[in-house]
Every structure is written in structure tokens, then in C-alpha cells.
Amino acid sequence: MSVSRISSRSRRLNKTQKLSVAGVSTLAAAAVAFSLVPNDASATTEPQAAAAAAPVAYTGSQTQSLKATGLSQNTTAERLAKTADAAKAKEEAAKKKSAAKAEAKAKAVAEAKSKAAAKAKADAKKRSAKKASRAADRKPVYANNLDGWIREALSIMHEKKIPGTYEGLHRNIIRESSGDPRAINNWDINAINGIPSKGLLQVIKPTFDFYHVKGTKHDQYDPVANITAAANYAADKYGSIDNVDSAY
């Protein structure tokens, strides 16, 4: 065998040896790795559980970001609270305004009713005054004679509810005074006693004063005052002047 062949074989052996060594190393590494694998699945999760249980470490930028987020949340909460307060205050103000408006309206309605009532009362008073004025304007004017005196006396007697008729008055007036309002009796017992009978129906002063009708003159010689007083006396004593046919 030559030296060159020996050298070539030596080189091949060396290469084969190297491959063998590499293979052995690989197998050894695989065996080591296999020996490190746990026998059950729980052993596999322990590092994960340990990692999960371990405290999280935040960087400076992460800490600032979290703080900023917290501040932002606080600010948002404050804004929401302020917005809610503002809305509540606005609602209360609206309610107060509405209540004040309703109260003002009710007050205005009451004042309007009061004014309307006052106006109606004033108008009624004016109408009453006008009616009275028209009635006064329509007041009849009686003639200044026996017929006029009797008719005016009858009007007053009717108002005062004193009974009597035109015929009864006229009949007694003619008998007592012949229709002379200034007639006076100076010879009978009344005259002797100092209280002579006077006027159309010849009444004495005490009788005239007691039965005088309000609204007429306080004068025995006044025709209307004399007739109404005498008729009032006759109504009290005889029921009506119509029932008198002689001295009374």
C-alpha cells in the first residue's frame, strides 16, 4: 500500500469520525432535552401560573399613561356630575318660572274678574240713577186745584199703603170745608179748647201731628198734607176715609 492511499483513508476516517461525533452529540442533546420534559401536563402549566402570579412591572411611560387615563376618567365623571347638576338646576328654574307664570296668570284673571264686577256694579248704579232720573222726569204734575190735590194725595196714599178713593176723599172734603184749604172752625169744642179744626178735611193740630205722612209739608193748611194726614187717621179709626160719612 502506498503512502498516498494511507493518507487518503486517514482523511476519510477522520471525516467519518467527525460525523459520528456530531451524531452522538445530537443524540446526547436530545436525550438531555427529553429528560428535562415533565411527566404530566400540570408541570407544563406551573411556569405559566408562576408567570401569571408574578407582579406586573410597568415602565415609566405605561405608569404615566395609566395616571392620565385615571385623571381623564375623574374629569369625565366631574363633567357628568356638573352637567347633571346644571340640568337639575335648569329644570327647577323652569318649574319655578312656570309656577310664577301660573300664579301671575291666576292673579291677572282674579283682578280682571274683580274689575269686571266693579264695572258691572258701577254700570248698574248708573242705570239705577238714570232710571230714577227718568222716573223723576216722568213725575206727574198735578193741577193746583181740588182735583189736583186729591189726585196727588191718592198717589202718596197708594205709595204708603193708606186706603181711600177719590170719591171718599172728595165727598168728605166737600162736607167739611167745601173745598177751601184755608177753612177753619172757630166755634166748636175744639176751638173752645184752643185747637181749632183746619184745612180741607178739618183736622186738629194734635191729630195732624200724630198722623202726618212723611214726605208732605208739615202744615195743616197744605192741601196734600191735610188730606193724607186725615186719610191716615180715618184708616186707623174707621178702616178707610171711604167709611166716613159725618164728623169724625
PDB file of all heavy atoms in Angstrom, residues 6 15 21-22 34 41 47 49 57 62 70 74 98 103 106 120 139 165 178 183 191 215 220-221 241:
ATOM      1  N   ILE A   6      -2.806   5.566   2.084  1.00  0.00           N
ATOM      2  CA  ILE A   6      -2.963   5.620   3.558  1.00  0.00           C
ATOM      3  C   ILE A   6      -3.430   6.982   3.996  1.00  0.00           C
ATOM      4  O   ILE A   6      -4.299   7.114   4.831  1.00  0.00           O
ATOM      5  CB  ILE A   6      -1.645   5.228   4.264  1.00  0.00           C
ATOM      6  CG1 ILE A   6      -1.329   3.782   3.967  1.00  0.00           C
ATOM      7  CG2 ILE A   6      -1.746   5.488   5.759  1.00  0.00           C
ATOM      8  CD1 ILE A   6       0.089   3.356   4.445  1.00  0.00           C
ATOM      9  N   LYS A  15     -13.102  12.151   8.605  1.00  0.00           N
ATOM     10  CA  LYS A  15     -14.406  12.747   8.245  1.00  0.00           C
ATOM     11  C   LYS A  15     -15.534  11.922   8.815  1.00  0.00           C
ATOM     12  O   LYS A  15     -16.498  12.433   9.363  1.00  0.00           O
ATOM     13  CB  LYS A  15     -14.494  12.829   6.722  1.00  0.00           C
ATOM     14  CG  LYS A  15     -15.713  13.586   6.257  1.00  0.00           C
ATOM     15  CD  LYS A  15     -15.681  13.735   4.730  1.00  0.00           C
ATOM     16  CE  LYS A  15     -16.887  14.497   4.281  1.00  0.00           C
ATOM     17  NZ  LYS A  15     -16.883  14.658   2.809  1.00  0.00           N
ATOM     18  N   VAL A  21     -19.192  11.723  15.662  1.00  0.00           N
ATOM     19  CA  VAL A  21     -19.179  12.581  16.873  1.00  0.00           C
ATOM     20  C   VAL A  21     -20.354  13.533  16.858  1.00  0.00           C
ATOM     21  O   VAL A  21     -21.029  13.765  17.843  1.00  0.00           O
ATOM     22  CB  VAL A  21     -17.840  13.338  16.966  1.00  0.00           C
ATOM     23  CG1 VAL A  21     -17.911  14.395  18.061  1.00  0.00           C
ATOM     24  CG2 VAL A  21     -16.725  12.376  17.213  1.00  0.00           C
ATOM     25  N   ALA A  22     -20.633  14.100  15.680  1.00  0.00           N
ATOM     26  CA  ALA A  22     -21.765  15.033  15.571  1.00  0.00           C
ATOM     27  C   ALA A  22     -23.065  14.331  15.869  1.00  0.00           C
ATOM     28  O   ALA A  22     -23.940  14.851  16.552  1.00  0.00           O
ATOM     29  CB  ALA A  22     -21.790  15.659  14.166  1.00  0.00           C
ATOM     30  N   PHE A  34     -35.021  15.459  26.479  1.00  0.00           N
ATOM     31  CA  PHE A  34     -36.115  14.573  26.826  1.00  0.00           C
ATOM     32  C   PHE A  34     -36.202  14.339  28.319  1.00  0.00           C
ATOM     33  O   PHE A  34     -37.270  14.259  28.896  1.00  0.00           O
ATOM     34  CB  PHE A  34     -35.951  13.245  26.071  1.00  0.00           C
ATOM     35  CG  PHE A  34     -37.064  12.285  26.341  1.00  0.00           C
ATOM     36  CD1 PHE A  34     -38.299  12.447  25.710  1.00  0.00           C
ATOM     37  CD2 PHE A  34     -36.876  11.233  27.232  1.00  0.00           C
ATOM     38  CE1 PHE A  34     -39.313  11.551  25.982  1.00  0.00           C
ATOM     39  CE2 PHE A  34     -37.905  10.346  27.485  1.00  0.00           C
ATOM     40  CZ  PHE A  34     -39.139  10.503  26.862  1.00  0.00           C
ATOM     41  N   ALA A  41     -49.002  17.002  32.425  1.00  0.00           N
ATOM     42  CA  ALA A  41     -49.327  18.332  31.881  1.00  0.00           C
ATOM     43  C   ALA A  41     -49.277  19.397  32.947  1.00  0.00           C
ATOM     44  O   ALA A  41     -49.047  20.553  32.656  1.00  0.00           O
ATOM     45  CB  ALA A  41     -50.719  18.283  31.259  1.00  0.00           C
ATOM     46  N   PRO A  47     -44.984  26.896  35.112  1.00  0.00           N
ATOM     47  CA  PRO A  47     -44.285  28.146  34.766  1.00  0.00           C
ATOM     48  C   PRO A  47     -45.252  29.209  34.349  1.00  0.00           C
ATOM     49  O   PRO A  47     -45.081  30.378  34.669  1.00  0.00           O
ATOM     50  CB  PRO A  47     -43.367  27.727  33.619  1.00  0.00           C
ATOM     51  CG  PRO A  47     -43.192  26.257  33.798  1.00  0.00           C
ATOM     52  CD  PRO A  47     -44.494  25.758  34.329  1.00  0.00           C
ATOM     53  N   ALA A  49     -48.452  29.541  35.371  1.00  0.00           N
ATOM     54  CA  ALA A  49     -49.123  30.047  36.568  1.00  0.00           C
ATOM     55  C   ALA A  49     -48.206  30.950  37.346  1.00  0.00           C
ATOM     56  O   ALA A  49     -48.611  31.974  37.879  1.00  0.00           O
ATOM     57  CB  ALA A  49     -49.576  28.873  37.445  1.00  0.00           C
ATOM     58  N   ALA A  57     -44.737  44.403  36.089  1.00  0.00           N
ATOM     59  CA  ALA A  57     -43.850  45.565  36.191  1.00  0.00           C
ATOM     60  C   ALA A  57     -44.142  46.487  35.020  1.00  0.00           C
ATOM     61  O   ALA A  57     -44.115  46.062  33.864  1.00  0.00           O
ATOM     62  CB  ALA A  57     -42.386  45.109  36.169  1.00  0.00           C
ATOM     63  N   GLN A  62     -45.794  53.627  30.707  1.00  0.00           N
ATOM     64  CA  GLN A  62     -47.050  52.965  30.999  1.00  0.00           C
ATOM     65  C   GLN A  62     -47.719  53.524  32.246  1.00  0.00           C
ATOM     66  O   GLN A  62     -48.923  53.721  32.313  1.00  0.00           O
ATOM     67  CB  GLN A  62     -46.821  51.462  31.162  1.00  0.00           C
ATOM     68  CG  GLN A  62     -46.474  50.749  29.849  1.00  0.00           C
ATOM     69  CD  GLN A  62     -46.164  49.285  30.076  1.00  0.00           C
ATOM     70  OE1 GLN A  62     -45.614  48.939  31.117  1.00  0.00           O
ATOM     71  NE2 GLN A  62     -46.474  48.444  29.088  1.00  0.00           N
ATOM     72  N   GLY A  70     -56.633  57.638  34.419  1.00  0.00           N
ATOM     73  CA  GLY A  70     -57.391  57.853  35.665  1.00  0.00           C
ATOM     74  C   GLY A  70     -57.866  59.290  35.786  1.00  0.00           C
ATOM     75  O   GLY A  70     -59.000  59.569  36.144  1.00  0.00           O
ATOM     76  N   ASN A  74     -61.687  60.690  35.932  1.00  0.00           N
ATOM     77  CA  ASN A  74     -62.159  61.583  37.003  1.00  0.00           C
ATOM     78  C   ASN A  74     -62.758  62.855  36.419  1.00  0.00           C
ATOM     79  O   ASN A  74     -63.793  63.344  36.864  1.00  0.00           O
ATOM     80  CB  ASN A  74     -61.022  61.922  37.957  1.00  0.00           C
ATOM     81  CG  ASN A  74     -60.597  60.715  38.792  1.00  0.00           C
ATOM     82  OD1 ASN A  74     -61.385  59.774  38.985  1.00  0.00           O
ATOM     83  ND2 ASN A  74     -59.361  60.710  39.280  1.00  0.00           N
ATOM     84  N   SER A  98     -92.491  78.423  35.629  1.00  0.00           N
ATOM     85  CA  SER A  98     -93.834  78.000  35.240  1.00  0.00           C
ATOM     86  C   SER A  98     -94.840  78.285  36.355  1.00  0.00           C
ATOM     87  O   SER A  98     -95.954  78.756  36.103  1.00  0.00           O
ATOM     88  CB  SER A  98     -93.822  76.506  34.904  1.00  0.00           C
ATOM     89  OG  SER A  98     -95.116  76.065  34.555  1.00  0.00           O
ATOM     90  N   GLU A 103     -99.146  81.565  38.602  1.00  0.00           N
ATOM     91  CA  GLU A 103     -99.642  82.418  39.688  1.00  0.00           C
ATOM     92  C   GLU A 103     -99.989  83.804  39.165  1.00  0.00           C
ATOM     93  O   GLU A 103    -101.020  84.386  39.535  1.00  0.00           O
ATOM     94  CB  GLU A 103     -98.579  82.519  40.788  1.00  0.00           C
ATOM     95  CG  GLU A 103     -99.041  83.311  42.003  1.00  0.00           C
ATOM     96  CD  GLU A 103     -97.982  83.374  43.090  1.00  0.00           C
ATOM     97  OE1 GLU A 103     -96.920  82.753  42.911  1.00  0.00           O
ATOM     98  OE2 GLU A 103     -98.213  84.045  44.106  1.00  0.00           O
ATOM     99  N   ALA A 106    -103.196  83.577  37.208  1.00  0.00           N
ATOM    100  CA  ALA A 106    -104.351  83.457  38.105  1.00  0.00           C
ATOM    101  C   ALA A 106    -104.671  84.804  38.749  1.00  0.00           C
ATOM    102  O   ALA A 106    -105.842  85.190  38.886  1.00  0.00           O
ATOM    103  CB  ALA A 106    -104.077  82.411  39.181  1.00  0.00           C
ATOM    104  N   ALA A 120    -119.440  96.265  36.502  1.00  0.00           N
ATOM    105  CA  ALA A 120    -120.844  95.882  36.417  1.00  0.00           C
ATOM    106  C   ALA A 120    -121.660  96.574  37.512  1.00  0.00           C
ATOM    107  O   ALA A 120    -122.781  97.045  37.270  1.00  0.00           O
ATOM    108  CB  ALA A 120    -120.978  94.366  36.537  1.00  0.00           C
ATOM    109  N   LYS A 139    -142.418 112.267  36.639  1.00  0.00           N
ATOM    110  CA  LYS A 139    -143.319 112.543  37.760  1.00  0.00           C
ATOM    111  C   LYS A 139    -144.433 113.483  37.301  1.00  0.00           C
ATOM    112  O   LYS A 139    -144.173 114.546  36.738  1.00  0.00           O
ATOM    113  CB  LYS A 139    -142.533 113.190  38.905  1.00  0.00           C
ATOM    114  CG  LYS A 139    -143.385 113.393  40.154  1.00  0.00           C
ATOM    115  CD  LYS A 139    -142.532 113.962  41.271  1.00  0.00           C
ATOM    116  CE  LYS A 139    -143.376 114.158  42.533  1.00  0.00           C
ATOM    117  NZ  LYS A 139    -142.566 114.683  43.651  1.00  0.00           N
ATOM    118  N   THR A 165    -160.337 106.296  48.350  1.00  0.00           N
ATOM    119  CA  THR A 165    -160.621 106.514  46.931  1.00  0.00           C
ATOM    120  C   THR A 165    -160.872 107.993  46.674  1.00  0.00           C
ATOM    121  O   THR A 165    -161.058 108.800  47.597  1.00  0.00           O
ATOM    122  CB  THR A 165    -161.862 105.720  46.498  1.00  0.00           C
ATOM    123  OG1 THR A 165    -163.021 106.212  47.214  1.00  0.00           O
ATOM    124  CG2 THR A 165    -161.668 104.214  46.791  1.00  0.00           C
ATOM    125  N   SER A 178    -166.038 122.500  52.009  1.00  0.00           N
ATOM    126  CA  SER A 178    -166.493 122.969  50.691  1.00  0.00           C
ATOM    127  C   SER A 178    -165.320 123.152  49.725  1.00  0.00           C
ATOM    128  O   SER A 178    -165.393 123.947  48.785  1.00  0.00           O
ATOM    129  CB  SER A 178    -167.286 124.286  50.813  1.00  0.00           C
ATOM    130  OG  SER A 178    -168.430 124.094  51.648  1.00  0.00           O
ATOM    131  N   ALA A 183    -159.928 126.796  55.205  1.00  0.00           N
ATOM    132  CA  ALA A 183    -161.101 126.772  56.098  1.00  0.00           C
ATOM    133  C   ALA A 183    -160.670 126.486  57.529  1.00  0.00           C
ATOM    134  O   ALA A 183    -159.725 125.709  57.768  1.00  0.00           O
ATOM    135  CB  ALA A 183    -162.100 125.719  55.633  1.00  0.00           C
ATOM    136  N   ALA A 191    -162.320 124.383  69.059  1.00  0.00           N
ATOM    137  CA  ALA A 191    -161.936 125.798  69.014  1.00  0.00           C
ATOM    138  C   ALA A 191    -161.929 126.376  70.424  1.00  0.00           C
ATOM    139  O   ALA A 191    -161.029 127.139  70.796  1.00  0.00           O
ATOM    140  CB  ALA A 191    -162.878 126.573  68.118  1.00  0.00           C
ATOM    141  N   GLY A 215    -142.956 113.041  53.918  1.00  0.00           N
ATOM    142  CA  GLY A 215    -142.818 113.425  52.514  1.00  0.00           C
ATOM    143  C   GLY A 215    -143.733 114.567  52.131  1.00  0.00           C
ATOM    144  O   GLY A 215    -143.590 115.154  51.053  1.00  0.00           O
ATOM    145  N   GLN A 220    -150.809 122.321  58.438  1.00  0.00           N
ATOM    146  CA  GLN A 220    -152.222 121.924  58.418  1.00  0.00           C
ATOM    147  C   GLN A 220    -152.979 122.499  57.218  1.00  0.00           C
ATOM    148  O   GLN A 220    -153.922 121.878  56.725  1.00  0.00           O
ATOM    149  CB  GLN A 220    -152.941 122.401  59.693  1.00  0.00           C
ATOM    150  CG  GLN A 220    -152.713 121.502  60.897  1.00  0.00           C
ATOM    151  CD  GLN A 220    -153.444 122.024  62.119  1.00  0.00           C
ATOM    152  OE1 GLN A 220    -152.898 122.814  62.890  1.00  0.00           O
ATOM    153  NE2 GLN A 220    -154.688 121.596  62.306  1.00  0.00           N
ATOM    154  N   TYR A 221    -152.555 123.646  56.754  1.00  0.00           N
ATOM    155  CA  TYR A 221    -153.254 124.304  55.656  1.00  0.00           C
ATOM    156  C   TYR A 221    -152.803 123.791  54.273  1.00  0.00           C
ATOM    157  O   TYR A 221    -153.466 124.094  53.284  1.00  0.00           O
ATOM    158  CB  TYR A 221    -153.064 125.820  55.718  1.00  0.00           C
ATOM    159  CG  TYR A 221    -153.837 126.478  56.831  1.00  0.00           C
ATOM    160  CD1 TYR A 221    -153.183 127.121  57.876  1.00  0.00           C
ATOM    161  CD2 TYR A 221    -155.245 126.486  56.842  1.00  0.00           C
ATOM    162  CE1 TYR A 221    -153.879 127.740  58.900  1.00  0.00           C
ATOM    163  CE2 TYR A 221    -155.950 127.106  57.862  1.00  0.00           C
ATOM    164  CZ  TYR A 221    -155.272 127.730  58.881  1.00  0.00           C
ATOM    165  OH  TYR A 221    -155.986 128.345  59.892  1.00  0.00           O
ATOM    166  N   ILE A 241    -161.070 106.269  54.716  1.00  0.00           N
ATOM    167  CA  ILE A 241    -161.803 107.540  54.620  1.00  0.00           C
ATOM    168  C   ILE A 241    -163.148 107.331  53.921  1.00  0.00           C
ATOM    169  O   ILE A 241    -164.100 108.096  54.115  1.00  0.00           O
ATOM    170  CB  ILE A 241    -160.971 108.610  53.873  1.00  0.00           C
ATOM    171  CG1 ILE A 241    -161.624 110.001  54.001  1.00  0.00           C
ATOM    172  CG2 ILE A 241    -160.767 108.216  52.429  1.00  0.00           C
ATOM    173  CD1 ILE A 241    -161.547 110.565  55.393  1.00  0.00           C
TER     174      ILE A 241
END
